[in-house]
Each structure stands twice: as structure tokens, then as C-alpha cells.
Amino acid sequence: HHFASTLGGGADEEVELDIEEDEDFTMELWTGAIGSLSIGFVSPSGEFTGRIPVRSYEQTIDFVFEKTKIFVHYERIEYYSGKELIAIRIKNPTEGIWRIRVYNLDPENTPYNIWLPMREFISDRTSFIYPAPDVTLCEPGNVNRVITVAAFNHRNNSIFLESSRGYTANNSIKPDIAAPGVDVYGPVSRLRFGERSGTSVSAAHTAGVAAMLLEWAI
């Protein structure tokens, strides 16, 4: 659910996205080069929006042969990060391969990232055709003043495949530590016990250890 690239000065390229039918979702394009990037879309039927101009308000893109609506908002300087954000919302997308055409208006090389929502909020099929496996941490895991915990398999000392990877987009080192998060036995619903996997399990481990450390030392 993450795509990363560096676009040459004055160049453009296409990012392919496989979308499941009738699923509404959002995604975000971020770059540190303020005001340098703009986008356009090519639908599965080949209909092209052209380059969507940079405006200070949300723009609605309609298609002639598709029922899809795309809402695009350029935020030249995002308030908290100081970076450029292109927020994209897709409503009633046609199933198939969509292409996002990214344009670099700057004469210099410009790196950028695009993120889809985390897996729990979007179907498994909706994904980039050529994703980048790193820099997949979601908020609040990429915040500096929190402990970010990866999940690992305590039985064979391997990292859990679905555990998000660092670094952050600003090259901070995350996750901070790893904790057991695969087939961990413990209490589940309705006063029963069972096995659970995921970073929520490893985060619970870390919270428990932190509480014990505070109780013992402080």
C-alpha cells in the first residue's frame, strides 16, 4: 500500500493501481519539494483527465464513460509538516487498473511517496502494482515521541511479514523495538483464551513491560 519514486526534473511518470469495484477510499501523495508536483488520472477504459491544475480548493473530476468521481485537493504547504500534500478521494471507482500520472514541474529531481489506507480499511485487492515495501508505518507509529513496536515471531526469531517497516518519511528510525506478535496465547473475548497475531499484540506486550518497569523503578 505504499509507492515511492524519484521523478526527474520536468518529467512525468505513471503509477499503476489495481482497484476493486465500488470501493470508496482515500490516498495521499507527499513530497518535500513544495509546489513541484501535480497529477492526472487514466481510467481502466483509457479515459484521461489531463493534468489537474493546482488550485487552493478541492476539485471534483468526473468521467464520461465511468461512474467514478475523484476529488483532489492540493495543499502546497501542509500545516504540521511543511511539506506538499496532494489528498485524493475516489468514489465509486470502476474495477481494474487505474493509472496516476505524476508531473514534476520543478527542474530538479523530486522524490515523493504515495500511501493507501492500511489493510484493515481497504480491500486486499486494492493495491499498487509495483509497491515499495519500506516506509509503510502509519500514524501514530511514525510520531517521534511514542514507542513504535514491530511484531516478531518468538518461535523462530523472524519478523512478522505484515508488520509495517521504517524508516519514516523524514528518515527517523522507526520502529523502535520489536516484541512477540505471532500466535501469542492469551485472553480473548468471552472469558476465553486463544492465539492472536499482529502488532497490536506486540504493542500490548510492550505496554505491560513498561507498566512493570514503572512499578518496579518509579
Side-chain angles (χ1 to χ4, degrees):
H1 292 194
H2 169 239
F3 179 86
S5 181
T6 298
L7 194 53
D12 62 85
E13 66 180 359
E14 289 187 343
V15 180
E16 293 183 314
L17 181 64
D18 186 8
I19 298 180
E20 188 167 335
E21 187 177 12
D22 293 332
E23 182 177 26
D24 301 351
F25 64 94
T26 62
M27 56 183 164
E28 296 181 350
L29 185 155
W30 289 85
T31 178
I34 298 172
S36 62
L37 298 185
S38 59
I39 59 172
F41 295 90
V42 182
S43 73
S45 66
E47 188 173 350
F48 179 42
T49 65
R51 187 178 71 83
I52 301 169
V54 178
R55 299 285 188 265
S56 59
Y57 52 85
E58 183 179 76
Q59 301 176 71
T60 303
I61 311 301
D62 294 301
F63 292 83
V64 176
F65 303 109
E66 319 279 353
K67 61 182 178 179
T68 307
K69 285 183 177 291
I70 298 181
F71 305 88
V72 176
H73 176 61
Y74 290 96
E75 195 161 352
R76 304 296 293 274
I77 304 178
E78 196 271 333
Y79 181 80
Y80 291 101
S81 66
K83 297 182 179 181
E84 179 182 7
L85 163 64
I86 303 177
I88 304 161
R89 181 162 59 97
I90 301 181
K91 184 176 182 181
N92 296 324
T94 301
E95 183 175 8
I97 305 298
W98 286 76
R99 288 173 287 165
I100 308 168
R101 189 166 294 176
V102 184
Y103 299 86
N104 186 8
L105 307 179
D106 195 281
E108 303 294 330
N109 292 345
T110 301
Y112 68 94
N113 295 273
I114 308 176
W115 284 278
L116 290 167
M118 61 189 298
R119 185 166 296 170
E120 286 76 6
F121 297 109
I122 198 171
S123 72
D124 288 339
R125 173 177 167 179
T126 301
S127 57
F128 294 108
I129 299 298
Y130 300 104
D134 297 316
V135 196
T136 56
L137 289 169
C138 299
E139 291 197 20
N142 56 6
V143 178
N144 289 329
R145 297 183 64 183
V146 301
I147 299 173
T148 304
V149 188
F152 80 95
N153 190 332
H154 58 287
R155 294 173 178 171
N156 60 15
N157 291 325
S158 65
I159 292 295
F160 184 41
L161 181 63
E162 296 185 5
S163 184
S164 295
R165 303 181 185 181
Y167 297 87
T168 67
N170 63 359
N171 294 319
S172 297
I173 298 176
K174 290 284 183 175
D176 300 290
I177 58 175
V182 179
D183 296 333
V184 176
Y185 187 78
V188 293
S189 61
R190 299 181 181 178
L191 302 177
R192 296 180 296 110
F193 283 76
E195 293 184 343
R196 290 290 185 269
S197 298
T199 52
S200 296
V201 178
S202 56
H205 260 86
T206 305
V209 171
M212 293 173 67
L213 180 62
L214 288 170
E215 183 182 37
W216 169 75
I218 298 177

